[in-house]
Amino acid sequence: MSPDWFWFWLVLLKWVTAQMQQPLSPDYACSTDRIVHPEIGGLQILDLLATNMQNHTFPALPIWGIDKTYENMNFCNVTVVYTHPGWGDSIKVWIYLPSQDWNGRFQATGGGGFVTGATTDGGHSSDTTSDASAWALTSPGNVNWPLLVDFASVAIHDMAVIGKAITESFFGMPPQHSYFHGASTGGRQGLMLAQRYPKDFDGIIAICPAINWVEFIVANLWPQFIMNQLHEYPRGCELDAITEAAISACDSLDGVTDGIISLPALCDFNPQTLVGKSFHCNGIASVFTSAAAAVADAAWSGPRSSSGGFQWFGIGRDAELGSSGIGIATTTCEEDGTCKGYPFPISLDWIKLWLVKDFNFDFSTITHNQWDALFHTSINEYDSIIGTSDSDLSEFRRAGGKTLTWHGL
Ligand SMILES: *[C@@H]1O[C@H](CO)[C@@H](O)[C@H](O)[C@H]1NC(C)=O
Ligand SMILES: *[C@@H]1O[C@H](CO)[C@@H](O)[C@H](O)[C@H]1NC(C)=O
């Protein structure tokens, strides 16, 4: 090779190498045309939009427990809209790709209540009210099966596959590690991923998972059912006083007096022993009623069939029953002292929309036999769709997956 050609090739090689190392300008990197539409079996991409986000501020969302505002975020916001052909669904996935200093990781987040996720809408609009009546039924009597299946499992898997494909298209290499993080419904989704889609994520954090969905979501209403049977709705302060009495009777049985009953099996505190004794409700002397004792007992024992058979577990005696507003025995009271039950809205929606399939169903008047039928329907129609109690995680282990999960009593 002549010296001229040698220098020509050397300069060209240096130029090409420099181009390859030159970071793409964010505007160029983040353009709708540049992102490859992923080809994924069973999915059809309907739309893909990339928006360059510079100096973006993510506000704090205190109701979601995010109390920090994140400022000066630079990323490419890719929104993918897709369908499962024939299902008639339309699902949005959001992927946020850092404009610089990508650490090579992919992180997906789960949902809560009936919200599918923070990074997918599961085919129904994500909102903080978690109102399912807008999408659960195609018409009275008819479940919207595709959207239920999307919410329960499929859309979470799609989010992983689409998200990783977009990430690879954007950065030119696939993520080195993939993580999923979720709590409650998100925790259930984490378990679902480990059980049904064991190759999607290397690491899964599944916090307070809504495991055993079909049983516990109905069982949550058992104290409300008992109140309706008794036609008595104890005040939150009375239920709180019962909880306090249980804690003072059993707290130290685990060897540590810390307000938590850590060995619940040792606690056989019977709330009926309180009936007739006095307690204070907002400074006013009151007397424990047998209705309140029965409601606490129901919450702690869990539901039983009309013939006395076990249906599901109760909650710990140290768990809040009422006044927090989200207890399973919560009531709401008027100024004149009349109270009514406040069933957990997600449980009530499950019964109304998916079990009875009737927007106007009145839970407050059901009989014990109807209760049993609802419990049976929940398990029989939905466990294979939304249940996550399969403890065989060997596929996930073989794929190298790791998961962390924790739960309260
Ligand atoms: C980024 O946004 C903040 C607040 O919106 C603003 O004060 C700041 O000047 C912006 N920085 C740049 C580099 O645009
Ligand atoms: C990303 O883009 C979608 C579609 O335009 C939009 O709905 C979403 O709010 C954007 N995300 C952010 C953080 O701006």
Side-chain angles (χ1 to χ4, degrees), residues 175-227:
Q176 288 162 303
H177 299 289
S178 301
Y179 302 98
F180 179 87
H181 186 170
S184 189
T185 275
R188 177 189 64 71
Q189 292 165 333
L191 299 182
M192 180 66 86
L193 287 160
Q195 291 163 29
R196 198 166 291 181
Y197 307 106
K199 296 189 173 123
D200 281 357
F201 292 96
D202 304 306
I204 294 174
I205 297 186
I207 306 168
C208 54
I211 188 175
N212 301 305
W213 176 274
V214 297
E215 292 97 351
F216 98 87
I217 207 74
V218 180
N220 261 356
L221 294 182
W222 177 244
Q224 301 286 336
F225 170 77
I226 295 296
M227 289 188 233

Side-chain angles (χ1 to χ4, degrees), residues 250-258 263 266:
C250 297
D251 186 359
S252 61
L253 296 178
D254 54 32
V256 187
T257 305
D258 56 359
L263 292 175
L266 297 183

Side-chain angles (χ1 to χ4, degrees), residues 31-39 45 48 78 80 162 165-170:
S31 82
T32 301
D33 298 340
R34 203 187 139 256
I35 312 260
V36 176
H37 284 217
E39 287 197 21
I45 307 295
L48 188 153
V78 178
V80 177
I162 294 171
I166 298 291
T167 304
E168 180 163 3
S169 170
F170 184 80

Side-chain angles (χ1 to χ4, degrees), residues 228-253:
N228 293 334
Q229 296 272 296
L230 298 170
H231 302 289
E232 290 200 52
Y233 303 89
R235 290 169 300 169
C237 57
E238 186 175 3
L239 294 164
D240 288 348
I242 294 179
T243 302
E244 270 171 41
I247 292 173
S248 57
C250 297
D251 186 359
S252 61
L253 296 178

